[in-house]
Amino acid sequence: MKRYPFRKPLLSVALVAGLATSTFGIPSSSFAASQVETSALTKEDQKIVQSVNVNNIYSHISRLSSQPRVAGTPAEYNAVQYIQQKFSSYGYNVQIQPFTFEAYVPPTTLSLDVKDDNTEYTPQYLTYTGNGQAAGELQYVGLGTEDDVKDLDLTGKIALIERGNISFAEKVLNAAKKGAEAVIIYNNEDGELNGTLGGANDAYVPALSLPKDVGEKLAKKLQDGETVNAEVTVEGSKLETRTSHNVIATKKASNQKKDTGEIVVVGAHHDSVEGAPGANDDASGVAVTLELARVMAKAKTDTELRFVTFGAEENGLIGSTKYVDSLGQNDIFRTRAMFQLDMVGSKDAGDLVMNTVSGQPNTVTDVAGDASERLNGEQTPYGQGDRSDHVPFAEVGIPSALFIHEPTEPWYHTPDDTIDKISKEKLQDVAEIVGAGVYDIAKIDRLTQNVKKPKPMKNVSKEVQDVK
Ligand code: BES
Ligand code: ZN
């Protein structure tokens, strides 16, 4: 864990500013006079540290995490309105960017009945399963690879397949190609199997999953030569067109003469998964974004700042992809850096890292790493990671990074992702590092102090295109 009590600069700024107390308690015994190094902080860092109020961040999280915010639902729109209203109240020009997407709707009916068997089966669906009713003999198909099915005729049968080696989608397609009416995949480890076929496909037959012990019992019967007849029903699995929204708050460069023409984006996603209040994922990122917008509202910059919250991240980075798609070539070229804040406040997660899609450092990790060094006396490490809204930016060559604590907390995507698991210290730390990093790029005349001109747009690399 980070040694927060040794956050020298916070103390030093508090001293410089003559503040009696900092936002949250720091044991005074942790500080020797020799540790106080005001010189490490730029005046812009000091402004950030003095202005960030972690209680504002906490209160945004509290408000946003009062309910799950599934993309395309009224609850997500309610969050959008809250965010818009906050940005507007700080004096930003706010744009709401609507977009449609195909949301997956789970089956309304899902059942497995096995003849002459009084076990009550409670299968799970594989996301994007086909619909239908299938009655037939169960056939054990091993791992369901092409090789496993090559000599089989599964016409009229229900394939029983073990998890492992190849994707669920490949298993289902291999069995369906051989005529299977339905597919049951059972787990190869303890616990429920909540899998996805990755996307809709008309070739999918009804596909459901069972826990390891339940699946193994059925497999054993078949391997012992027993005939097992079963019936599978899946109804209501479908895609539905829904509307989600991005919220975009813009502040132009303060001084037209010095305007570099560059843009810096700070982003987070406001949607959550079904059933999860998403206090950390990602009300935390939205709340820090809002607070940085408030803190930077009157800052003198030679760079345009955009604070953006994205919708439908959990459905496949859809809002951020729409945002990037809506940028002209010129705006893509002008966007100098993108800071993505996702899961930045959990007490139960590890330390802060900055993940880039390539795993290589870039402008974002450089400036935030240096900010962290000035603020905390150590560089925030960077690593490789996609899985969030920085990806579409990286794909068009915009230097971007995901700020996240790793390893992630056990409450990720569960109903327990609630405000009581949020650490104010972590929020404050991330807000300071990102705020100071952003300000370092955006402050007036930064280009003449440290010449790092934007690079021409790179071609999307193969590696990036393959990110799912
Ligand atoms: N906040 C997570 C991303 C995340 C979680 C990154 C854990 C690293 C560790 C994000 O909201 C999420 O769940 N993303 C999806 C991917 C997306 C393309 C649907 C994921 O990781 O499953
Ligand atoms: Zn997230």
Side-chain angles (χ1 to χ4, degrees), residues 269 281 313-314 316-317 342-343 387 402 404 406 408 412-413 468:
H269 69 93
D281 185 13
E313 187 266 0
E314 302 285 7
L317 315 180
D342 193 357
M343 304 173 73
R387 302 180 66 176
L402 164 65
I404 188 165
E406 282 182 349
T408 51
Y412 167 60
H413 282 186
K468 278 199 202 125

Side-chain angles (χ1 to χ4, degrees), residues 82-92 94 294 297-298:
Y82 174 80
I83 296 160
Q84 174 198 31
Q85 187 269 319
K86 289 292 169 194
F87 281 140
S88 299
S89 75
Y90 307 147
Y92 284 80
V94 190
R294 188 190 68 78
K298 302 244 152 36

Side-chain angles (χ1 to χ4, degrees), residues 58-275:
Y58 198 79
S59 118
H60 297 315
I61 297 176
S62 167
R63 165 63 176 75
L64 290 166
S65 66
S66 63
Q67 58 180 346
R69 304 171 300 282
V70 176
T73 65
E76 189 206 34
Y77 193 63
N78 185 280
V80 162
Q81 287 176 306
Y82 174 80
I83 296 160
Q84 174 198 31
Q85 187 269 319
K86 289 292 169 194
F87 281 140
S88 299
S89 75
Y90 307 147
Y92 284 80
N93 181 340
V94 190
Q95 191 199 335
I96 292 197
Q97 182 178 48
F99 58 89
T100 56
F101 68 102
E102 298 299 309
Y104 179 68
V105 181
T108 45
T109 307
L110 180 72
S111 69
L112 166 65
D113 291 308
V114 176
K115 288 240 170 67
D116 308 318
D117 180 340
N118 45 23
T119 314
E120 182 133 343
Y121 290 90
T122 51
Q124 304 285 311
Y125 62 91
L126 288 161
T127 303
Y128 301 110
T129 169
N131 290 308
Q133 199 162 26
E137 213 178 285
L138 280 192
Q139 168 120 15
Y140 178 70
V141 192
L143 288 165
T145 63
E146 259 180 58
D147 208 40
D148 289 329
V149 300
K150 76 173 185 298
D151 298 325
L152 299 178
D153 179 8
L154 299 174
T155 310
K157 303 228 165 115
I158 297 171
L160 179 68
I161 302 179
E162 189 183 347
R163 181 184 190 180
N165 289 23
I166 58 171
S167 70
F168 302 131
E170 286 170 301
K171 291 174 195 274
V172 172
L173 291 175
N174 288 342
K177 251 186 246 152
K178 290 292 184 164
E181 299 269 323
V183 172
I184 301 170
I185 299 178
Y186 63 93
N187 212 344
N188 57 2
E189 54 187 56
D190 288 343
E192 290 286 354
L193 171 51
N194 286 307
T196 174
L197 301 177
N201 185 334
D202 287 342
Y204 291 151
V205 292
L208 38 82
S209 64
L210 290 175
K212 182 172 185 246
D213 52 339
V214 182
E216 278 178 350
K217 225 184 215 170
L218 290 171
K220 171 111 193 5
K221 283 190 189 180
L222 298 173
Q223 281 156 351
D224 290 348
E226 248 182 79
T227 300
V228 182
N229 281 297
E231 194 171 317
V232 165
T233 308
V234 178
E235 294 302 342
S237 165
K238 61 174 181 181
L239 292 177
E240 196 174 85
T241 305
R242 292 200 188 144
T243 303
S244 176
H245 306 80
N246 295 327
V247 188
I248 306 164
T250 306
K251 171 175 141 32
K252 301 278 184 204
S254 357
N255 182 328
Q256 274 202 340
K257 271 201 218 126
K258 301 234 168 174
D259 189 348
T260 58
E262 295 179 356
I263 303 168
V264 170
V265 178
V266 178
H269 69 93
H270 52 243
D271 64 313
S272 75
V273 296
E274 186 94 47

